[in-house]
Amino acid sequence: MEGHFKFPSFGGVAQSVGVVFWARMASIPLLWRGGAEGDGVVLKLSKFDHEHRENRMNANRLFRVIGCCILSAIVTVFVLVGSTKESQAQVSFTPFMCPQCPTWTEIPDWRFQVGTSMFPDLPLDPNCTASTCPHYINHLQHGRYIAGNSYIKQVGFWFESFNTEMYYDYFYCKRNGIIWDALTGTPTMPRWLDIPLVGTLQTDSVEFRFQSDHSITRRGFLSTKARVCCGSGGWVPIVMWPFVRYSGFLLGKNDVVDFIVGTAGGQLEQFVLWSNASSGNDFDVYIKCGSRPTPTSYDFRGARAGSHEFLAIPTGNCSSAWFVVVHAFSGSGTFNLVKQSHYPSRYLILRAGTNFNANSAQMTHFATILREGARHFYGATEGSVLISGIHLYNSNSCSNCGGAACNICFLSQNGGSVNGAPICADAQVCNSSGYIRMYSNCWNRPSPAFRELSHEFGHKYFCLRDEYQVNNGTMRYLCGHSIMAEPRAVAQNNFCYNANHKKDPSPGAPNTSLSSAWTQARNAGVTSHIPVETPDNYDYISFDHPFPGNVIIH
């Protein structure tokens, strides 16, 4: 079911409307699905890993629906900004049959790495100034599942390099919950890691997991190619965990991968899809409550140009489970899918203003900073905080934004300095009534001011303190891979986790340890979900969607 309404345009962007269902959980027969953990193999798992798994399982149990009765739903219109495409000519989704095993088909755009940065503008270690740095950015908790269509019978991955601390840093590949292969130290490389499946990639669970003690003091590992081969199979949706990244393969135009995931009662849910490819692919996501969607029958979809899709679902009333289809409108390659949720208290609509009379170009510039800062903060909090809209006023006052207190204010004056380091923006920690100050030396310079704003959001809405020290103008990072470090120098999209917030062993790093950002937020009374197990979490700035950070200039 789909409705179309006319809305005012935001900055000339065409409006389209998707449909979102509100629903309540119903009593339905369930089949719990899980694999044996170890089969006699002793796993080197950290305390954090056990807590994380337990929290994740308690937060949202996964299930497969045996039978259900779909309750009537109340349809609520939810505005989605972006261009829409023509409807598919198909009447149903059909997976793509690749060459049969043992003939392999290579998948474009696959990349999986730990220890070196996913982002080209990020230094390997901001604390290290030596010509050769012995320490690399910590990626200490990494879990993802591998997804593909119902014909894939084997899957393989090419590892170019692998160099970790023997018996401290481990890469595990699990099939149906049991270790298929484990790598540590410096095994012979390069090599293929080929995984034969008992069924297909939709019926068999393939999980990648990386564990580290507290730091990566060697380069880590890099996988740059993937391959699959096909055989007979039947339609069975992948039972999907929330808060876990799924890296999947679409083999050609109209290929599909199916998922099923439980609803998050009383919480706002999001499905985020992105591709590794820079261009050329167009992947979409279709979602329906209680049964498999088709190209013409779905509750809502992300079907705009490109392969970055974002679907925000208000707390709702799906009486069974969400059935999810990732579809190749065109192209082939790797996609990433995460199902997130957050609490209604973390759904924010903010007000921003100025303390001077800004011109139209400045107001447009401020709107861009606000929008991209909100999207960056959404990525950093792994979907825990959604700033859905920001009203921007040319207010000439930081205390009056459309008749209410401002949450953010752009000031005409310079921010000054502390201990020899320039102050660009500031905010009081955990002060919901105070406002974030964006000084002129922040919004006037060419470097990305949205990172500064995202950093200040961390102070104000996630109750976090700075994770750097300044001594006579010299910056030292307490957690160099965090947005709460100095954001102008470090292009990061992460918060530090429990396991990777210990002492940084690189030269020049402060001799200190901190609790994780998630612990600090929880201790300060901020209710947030656990983070997605993806250290290279996406910043969502380039996504074609209105949330977060839809800015209205008044």
Side-chain angles (χ1 to χ4, degrees), residues 119-328:
F119 301 94
D121 61 343
L122 177 65
L124 288 177
D125 190 332
N127 285 319
C128 184
T129 58
S131 58
T132 302
C133 294
H135 175 61
Y136 293 82
I137 295 296
N138 290 335
H139 287 331
L140 299 169
Q141 221 32 55
H142 194 128
R144 68 169 74 181
Y145 285 87
I146 308 302
N149 73 28
S150 56
Y151 291 130
I152 295 177
K153 298 289 289 185
Q154 292 189 56
V155 60
F157 302 91
W158 176 258
F159 281 80
E160 285 193 4
S161 60
F162 197 102
N163 186 348
T164 67
E165 291 179 274
M166 180 74 78
Y167 306 130
Y168 291 97
D169 301 332
Y170 286 85
F171 165 78
Y172 297 108
C173 173
K174 297 182 181 181
R175 188 184 70 181
N176 292 327
I178 301 174
I179 293 178
W180 172 257
D181 204 350
L183 300 175
T184 186
T186 55
T188 302
M189 293 289 158
R191 58 167 283 191
W192 281 101
L193 173 63
D194 292 327
I195 308 165
L197 304 174
V198 177
T200 70
L201 198 50
Q202 288 205 178
T203 61
D204 290 3
S205 167
V206 175
E207 178 188 3
F208 283 175
R209 177 164 291 276
F210 178 71
Q211 297 288 145
S212 176
D213 55 342
H214 73 274
S215 66
I216 299 174
T217 55
R218 297 190 184 181
R219 189 170 184 84
F221 61 84
L222 174 64
S223 172
T224 57
K225 292 189 291 187
R227 63 185 185 182
V228 299
C229 64
C230 290
S232 60
W235 178 79
V236 178
I238 296 168
V239 178
M240 182 180 182
W241 287 96
F243 309 110
V244 176
R245 174 169 157 185
Y246 285 75
S247 291
F249 309 128
L250 290 171
L251 306 182
K253 179 178 174 62
N254 289 327
D255 191 19
V256 294
V257 180
D258 286 89
F259 301 88
I260 183 173
V261 62
T263 58
Q267 299 158 17
L268 297 138
E269 300 175 276
Q270 305 103 44
F271 288 85
V272 182
L273 174 77
W274 71 98
S275 171
N276 289 354
S278 57
S279 63
N281 292 340
D282 191 347
F283 300 160
D284 303 324
V285 59
Y286 291 73
I287 303 178
K288 189 173 183 179
C289 177
S291 62
R292 191 190 191 204
T294 72
T296 57
S297 176
Y298 50 86
D299 290 343
F300 59 97
R301 67 176 182 173
R304 293 172 294 278
S307 297
H308 288 175
E309 305 289 353
F310 180 98
L311 297 172
I313 310 169
T315 179
N317 157 18
C318 183
S319 61
S320 51
W322 296 120
F323 285 74
V324 182
V325 166
V326 178
H327 174 256

Side-chain angles (χ1 to χ4, degrees), residues 471-505:
N471 185 12
N472 296 325
T474 300
M475 191 76 66
R476 290 289 182 261
Y477 305 105
L478 307 180
C479 187
H481 46 287
S482 166
I483 72 165
M484 300 313 294
E486 211 284 319
R488 283 164 287 187
V490 183
Q492 267 290 6
N493 307 309
N494 300 344
F495 286 136
C496 287
Y497 295 78
N498 287 357
N500 67 3
H501 221 311
K502 298 183 181 180
K503 178 185 174 183
D504 191 329

Side-chain angles (χ1 to χ4, degrees), residues 338-498:
V338 173
K339 193 261 189 180
Q340 301 168 313
S341 60
H342 63 270
Y343 296 101
S345 62
R346 300 283 86 197
Y347 183 88
L348 306 176
I349 298 176
L350 305 181
R351 293 171 179 261
T354 65
N355 76 339
F356 66 102
N357 186 22
N359 60 41
S360 59
Q362 288 171 329
M363 292 293 287
T364 300
H365 178 57
F366 297 157
T368 300
I369 294 172
L370 293 169
R371 181 183 66 250
E372 295 191 352
R375 293 184 181 188
H376 190 268
F377 190 58
Y378 175 86
T381 62
E382 303 281 17
S384 288
V385 180
L386 177 61
I387 302 171
S388 67
I390 303 175
H391 295 273
L392 174 59
Y393 299 87
N394 197 0
S395 54
N396 283 288
S397 169
C398 291
S399 60
N400 182 8
C401 286
C406 301
N407 306 112
I408 307 152
C409 193
F410 294 89
L411 292 89
S412 59
Q413 62 264 37
N414 189 298
S417 64
V418 174
N419 293 332
I423 298 299
C424 169
D426 60 31
Q428 290 184 312
V429 175
C430 242
N431 186 351
S432 58
S433 60
Y435 59 85
I436 294 172
R437 296 170 176 83
M438 298 291 291
Y439 296 106
S440 61
N441 57 318
C442 190
W443 55 260
N444 257 333
R445 58 184 173 75
S447 56
F450 71 83
R451 286 196 196 123
E452 296 280 0
L453 180 59
S454 178
H455 173 103
E456 301 305 328
F457 283 148
H459 289 317
K460 182 175 173 64
Y461 296 113
F462 228 53
C463 299
L464 304 179
R465 299 188 180 277
D466 287 320
E467 294 178 346
Y468 60 83
Q469 292 178 349
V470 180
N471 185 12
N472 296 325
T474 300
M475 191 76 66
R476 290 289 182 261
Y477 305 105
L478 307 180
C479 187
H481 46 287
S482 166
I483 72 165
M484 300 313 294
E486 211 284 319
R488 283 164 287 187
V490 183
Q492 267 290 6
N493 307 309
N494 300 344
F495 286 136
C496 287
Y497 295 78
N498 287 357

Side-chain angles (χ1 to χ4, degrees), residues 10-201:
F10 292 95
V13 181
Q15 303 296 307
S16 65
V17 174
V19 174
V20 177
F21 278 73
W22 296 70
R24 288 185 301 272
M25 292 294 296
S27 297
I28 54 175
L30 305 178
L31 173 65
W32 298 101
R33 176 176 177 174
E37 190 73 53
D39 193 24
V41 178
V42 178
L43 299 182
K44 180 182 172 64
L45 297 178
S46 66
K47 179 176 182 289
F48 169 73
D49 184 70
H50 287 295
E51 291 174 347
H52 191 76
R53 283 168 176 259
E54 182 180 359
N55 288 340
R56 188 178 67 212
M57 294 173 69
N58 290 339
N60 195 334
R61 292 284 186 179
L62 298 184
F63 50 82
R64 179 185 296 176
V65 177
I66 301 300
C68 65
C69 177
I70 301 175
L71 302 178
S72 60
I74 302 172
V75 179
T76 302
V77 175
F78 198 73
V79 181
L80 300 175
V81 176
S83 58
T84 58
K85 299 179 295 193
E86 294 182 1
S87 299
Q88 300 288 332
Q90 298 169 278
V91 295
S92 63
F93 290 118
T94 304
F96 184 98
M97 172 66 85
C98 66
Q100 294 202 1
C101 298
T103 303
W104 291 98
T105 298
E106 191 165 315
I107 306 297
D109 308 319
W110 170 259
R111 191 172 185 86
F112 177 42
Q113 63 189 57
V114 166
T116 56
S117 170
M118 296 288 284
F119 301 94
D121 61 343
L122 177 65
L124 288 177
D125 190 332
N127 285 319
C128 184
T129 58
S131 58
T132 302
C133 294
H135 175 61
Y136 293 82
I137 295 296
N138 290 335
H139 287 331
L140 299 169
Q141 221 32 55
H142 194 128
R144 68 169 74 181
Y145 285 87
I146 308 302
N149 73 28
S150 56
Y151 291 130
I152 295 177
K153 298 289 289 185
Q154 292 189 56
V155 60
F157 302 91
W158 176 258
F159 281 80
E160 285 193 4
S161 60
F162 197 102
N163 186 348
T164 67
E165 291 179 274
M166 180 74 78
Y167 306 130
Y168 291 97
D169 301 332
Y170 286 85
F171 165 78
Y172 297 108
C173 173
K174 297 182 181 181
R175 188 184 70 181
N176 292 327
I178 301 174
I179 293 178
W180 172 257
D181 204 350
L183 300 175
T184 186
T186 55
T188 302
M189 293 289 158
R191 58 167 283 191
W192 281 101
L193 173 63
D194 292 327
I195 308 165
L197 304 174
V198 177
T200 70
L201 198 50

